[in-house]
Amino acid sequence: MSAASTDLSSDDADAPTDDPDVHSHTDADGVAKDRAANGETTPSTRRSRSRADARAFDTRTHAGPVEMVGTALSTIAEGTRSLLGRPLASYHLILTMAFLLTAFGLVMVLSASSVEGYSQDGSAYGLFATQVVFALLGVVVFYLTLRLPVRLLRRMAAPLMVVTTVLLALVLIPGVGTLSQGARRWFVISGLSVQPSELVKVALCVWGAHLLASRRRDNAPLKELLIPLLPVGLLICLLIILEPNLSTTITIAIIIGTLLWFAGLPIKVFSAFALTGAGIAIVLALVEGYRSQRVMSFLGGIDDPQGAGYQARQATYALANGGVFGVGLGQSRAKWNYLPNAHNDFIFAIIGEELGLIGGLLVVALFVIFTFVGLRIAHRSTDPFLRLMTATITVLITTQALINIGYVIGLLPVTGIQLPLLSAGGTSTLTVLAMLGLLANAARHEPEAVVALSTSRPGRLGRILRLPTPVAYKPSRAEVLRDRLDVRRSGSGSTPAPVRRGRPGPGRGPAPTPEAKRPVWRRVLPGGRRSGAAAEATVRPAGATRGAGRYRAGAGSEASGPGFRGAGSEASGPGFRGAGSEASGPGFRGAGSEASGPGFRGAGSEASGPGFRGAGSEASGPGFRGAGHSWRPRSGYSGTPSRSQLRGYSGGPARRR
């Protein structure tokens, strides 16, 4: 009996028992459950949690370095993607780059010019104070160019070009321009020197972009691209060569070449232009004595440590002295009159010596980011003028930085081109900040930025700066008419005679051809430009009905081409897709009598959406309005009274909008 009772009690978990151990375990489990329910922890739960945490820590600890690096890179990529996805990302990045480069340049100019300033003027802050004054003026110019409306900027392009060209001519007159180190390049105004050749860079970027954007055509003749841009550029180069200033002449050639490249100059012509410019630069470099010595020293023809190669050699010593981490900010030895122009042309050598390889790579990274942001703005701009201007400014600043860094580290011969915003140079700092202001202005005119600034309240920075709301790009009437004429000429080979719209009748002239009835943008097909009979044969399907220059698939016939594709009663392709009575695709979507999608939406006889809205026989919305009408096409569409077309007409039988 006892054995049997024991077995029964062990099988039934809910059976009562008199065993004190069982009661004690049951009470302990109940107390543990109550504590867990109340959020309290017991020693057993704490031990289990500690073991789980230890296992998780071991997993993280023993994770391979490849997995950790991959996770970090994915996190960085996701953060960068989210940052660039914001509407004003380009604008904020340009502001950040302008601030970082200007502030870093002021610090390095103070460090590099202190010794030379003290030896010349008895003050270590003389050159630095001049740089600060021009930087403040540059900030003012940055703000003004940021606020300029695009239309006003384009109107000012030609006058700015004329004024800067006149200044280039005036600086060559003795007594007007200041002669310094054998060159006449500056005006001295109230103790501040102004260099007209730097001002002409901004004017040429704006005027060249305005000129080429006004003449943009798909197949523009070579004469429209080169005249008057190339003659004006040659005149500017001639005036700058007379100063003389070969380095600025090279930058002017870079501006003209960039404008022509982005304007669509043929590659053969552009290559000939580039080779000719390079040949002229080599000739000018070899004609002048000190220039030829620099070139020959770079090529190894002159090995004179104290002669033409002195600056390049001292710059190499400064970079080698810096090592990886540098000797410390302000601790350069080369600036103690070992390296001439340490605060100007060779400031990158001082950066490499004081901040080391890390500092040099930081400068390179800043200009790489700037290049990406500038080309991003050019790519996202819808205004051809802003696209050309931003691309040219970006290429100009980046090329100047690459040339300066290249001859400091010994990859190029010394040319004297400054490092933008980092080298000491008042007019250069002023003009570069003006260019950055134009880039920020273009960034605010990106389509997404225009929508964001127009529909939302300005942020804190916008309220402080009181910037105007940007206006979306809209082609002018002259540009629209010119584009239409270009498409017509490219489609038919000559400008067609004007065709009167309407049905042929007495006194109304001959009936228009199907090609003339088709919209202009329809005459340029995806496969290339086609016109006349070739276009009609391509578009018109076999056995299809025709109306107003468009073809629709008929029952039992095959419809193909850009408009419609399919066989039998099936219509498919960009225009219609589906089988039987089912119409789907970009034009129509649905099944049976249901039409839906961007063109039509609804069920049964109800048509709604951007194209049609309403119920029953009523069609309303942006596309059509009215009830029970037959819809007639405005241009380029035809159909039966039971068909409605995707053009905007208002109510009334056979009534046009």
Side-chain angles (χ1 to χ4, degrees):
M1 290 295 293
S2 61
S5 63
T6 304
D7 293 336
L8 290 174
S9 63
S10 62
D11 293 337
D12 190 0
D14 296 332
T17 177
D18 295 333
D19 192 352
D21 295 334
V22 175
H23 283 291
S24 62
H25 286 292
T26 304
D27 295 340
D29 294 339
V31 171
K33 292 178 180 179
D34 293 339
R35 290 182 176 179
N38 295 330
E40 300 178 3
T41 59
T42 61
S44 60
T45 57
R46 286 196 294 269
R47 286 193 297 271
S48 62
R49 290 181 182 178
S50 63
R51 287 193 295 270
D53 294 340
R55 286 194 297 270
F57 178 77
D58 292 340
T59 304
R60 293 192 300 267
T61 303
H62 291 87
V66 178
E67 289 81 358
M68 296 177 65
V69 172
T71 303
L73 291 178
S74 62
T75 304
I76 295 173
E78 186 66 25
T80 305
R81 193 178 299 111
S82 62
L83 175 64
L84 295 178
R86 298 179 179 179
L88 296 175
S90 301
Y91 170 65
H92 292 150
L93 285 173
I94 285 295
L95 293 182
T96 304
M97 296 303 301
F99 173 76
L100 290 178
L101 288 173
T102 305
F104 186 62
L106 290 176
V107 172
M108 295 311 303
V109 167
L110 174 61
S111 175
S113 65
S114 57
V115 176
E116 185 172 352
Y118 185 80
S119 62
Q120 291 181 355
D121 303 327
S123 173
Y125 303 97
L127 295 174
F128 171 72
T130 304
Q131 187 72 10
V132 169
V133 170
F134 275 100
L136 294 177
L137 292 176
V139 171
V140 175
V141 175
F142 180 94
Y143 178 70
L144 294 177
T145 53
L146 179 59
R147 287 183 58 90
L148 275 179
V150 177
R151 292 186 180 275
L152 180 59
L153 181 62
R154 298 188 68 169
R155 290 176 184 175
M156 294 171 55
L160 284 176
M161 195 68 224
V162 173
V163 170
T164 53
T165 305
V166 171
L167 291 177
L168 280 177
L170 291 177
V171 79
L172 298 175
I173 301 176
V176 179
T178 302
L179 183 64
S180 177
Q181 297 179 357
R184 200 179 298 275
R185 306 174 185 174
W186 299 271
F187 292 112
V188 177
I189 302 174
S190 300
L192 299 177
S193 60
V194 179
Q195 193 171 357
S197 58
E198 293 290 336
L199 300 177
V200 79
K201 295 179 184 178
V202 184
L204 185 58
C205 290
V206 177
W207 177 74
H210 166 68
L211 180 68
L212 296 177
S214 301
R215 300 184 174 189
R216 60 184 180 88
R217 294 174 59 183
D218 291 337
N219 294 317
L222 192 62
K223 182 179 179 181
E224 289 189 5
L225 292 176
L226 297 180
I227 299 176
L229 178 62
L230 190 59
V232 173
L234 292 176
L235 175 62
I236 294 173
C237 290
L238 177 62
L239 293 175
I240 295 175
I241 289 173
L242 294 176
E243 293 181 356
N245 191 350
L246 181 60
S247 59
T248 307
T249 307
I250 294 174
T251 59
I252 297 298
I254 291 172
I255 294 173
I256 298 174
T258 306
L259 286 169
L260 293 176
W261 172 264
F262 286 106
L265 188 70
I267 297 179
K268 293 182 179 179
V269 181
F270 181 82
S271 301
F273 172 77
L275 292 176
T276 304
I280 294 174
I282 293 174
V283 171
L284 292 176
L286 296 177
V287 167
E288 193 70 25
Y290 70 95
R291 296 175 190 159
S292 61
Q293 289 181 0
R294 287 179 178 179
V295 174
M296 296 304 295
S297 176
F298 170 75
L299 297 176
I302 299 177
D303 189 11
D304 184 6
Q306 301 295 326
Y310 178 75
Q311 281 182 300
R313 188 181 297 271
Q314 292 298 323
T316 305
Y317 292 160
L319 292 173
N321 187 37
V324 177
F325 300 103
V327 297
L329 186 63
Q331 304 300 319
S332 170
R333 299 192 183 110
K335 65 183 180 182
W336 289 82
N337 294 328
Y338 290 103
L339 177 61
N341 292 326
H343 61 287
N344 194 353
D345 297 341
F346 286 86
I347 196 169
F348 187 76
I350 304 302
I351 295 174
E353 184 181 10
E354 295 185 351
L355 303 180
L357 177 64
I358 295 177
L361 292 179
L362 176 62
V363 173
V364 174
L366 288 176
F367 281 104
V368 169
I369 296 173
F370 165 77
T371 305
F372 168 75
V373 176
L375 295 180
R376 182 176 187 264
I377 296 172
H379 177 72
R380 293 164 65 91
S381 296
T382 56
D383 190 345
F385 164 71
L386 293 180
R387 188 184 305 120
L388 279 171
M389 184 187 67
T390 52
T392 304
I393 290 175
T394 303
V395 172
L396 173 63
I397 295 177
T398 305
T399 306
Q400 285 182 314
L402 291 178
I403 292 176
N404 181 274
I405 295 173
Y407 71 69
V408 169
I409 64 178
L411 295 179
L412 294 174
V414 178
T415 57
I417 294 179
Q418 297 177 341
L419 190 60
L421 289 181
L422 298 182
S423 296
T427 312
S428 175
T429 301
L430 184 70
T431 55
V432 173
L433 285 175
M435 293 179 185
L436 293 182
L438 293 175
L439 287 182
N441 194 347
R444 296 182 76 246
H445 283 82
E446 292 181 358
E448 295 181 0
V450 171
V451 173
L453 293 173
S454 301
T455 57
S456 62
R457 297 181 57 187
R460 181 180 303 175
L461 182 61
R463 290 194 299 268
I464 294 174
L465 298 178
R466 297 182 179 272
L467 298 175
T469 303
V471 180
Y473 168 69
K474 184 179 180 181
S476 63
R477 187 174 301 176
E479 291 177 347
V480 173
L481 293 176
R482 184 178 62 250
D483 291 343
R484 289 181 180 178
L485 289 176
D486 291 342
V487 174
R488 285 188 180 185
R489 290 170 181 171
S490 62
S492 58
S494 62
T495 305
V499 179
R500 307 177 98 184
R501 297 195 178 274
R503 298 180 182 178
R508 303 190 67 174
T513 61
E515 177 64 19
K517 289 182 178 180
R518 296 177 64 224
V520 176
W521 61 274
R522 277 289 184 184
R523 299 177 194 174
V524 183
L525 301 180
R529 292 185 175 89
R530 301 190 179 98
S531 61
E536 182 176 352
T538 305
V539 177
R540 182 177 182 181
T545 60
R546 180 181 67 178
R550 289 292 301 274
Y551 302 94
R552 298 191 177 279
S557 64
E558 180 177 355
S560 62
F564 303 92
R565 293 172 187 164
S569 60
E570 177 180 352
S572 64
F576 298 88
R577 292 175 185 163
S581 60
E582 177 180 353
S584 64
F588 298 89
R589 292 175 185 164
S593 60
E594 178 181 353
S596 64
F600 299 88
R601 292 175 185 164
S605 60
E606 179 180 352
S608 64
F612 296 87
R613 292 174 185 165
S617 60
E618 180 180 356
S620 63
F624 298 88
R625 293 170 185 164
H629 310 301
S630 63
W631 306 96
R632 294 184 59 187
R634 181 177 178 182
S635 63
Y637 292 89
S638 66
T640 62
S642 60
R643 284 184 178 175
S644 299
Q645 307 301 334
L646 280 171
R647 286 285 187 183
Y649 301 97
S650 56
R655 180 179 174 185
R656 292 179 181 270
R657 194 183 228 177

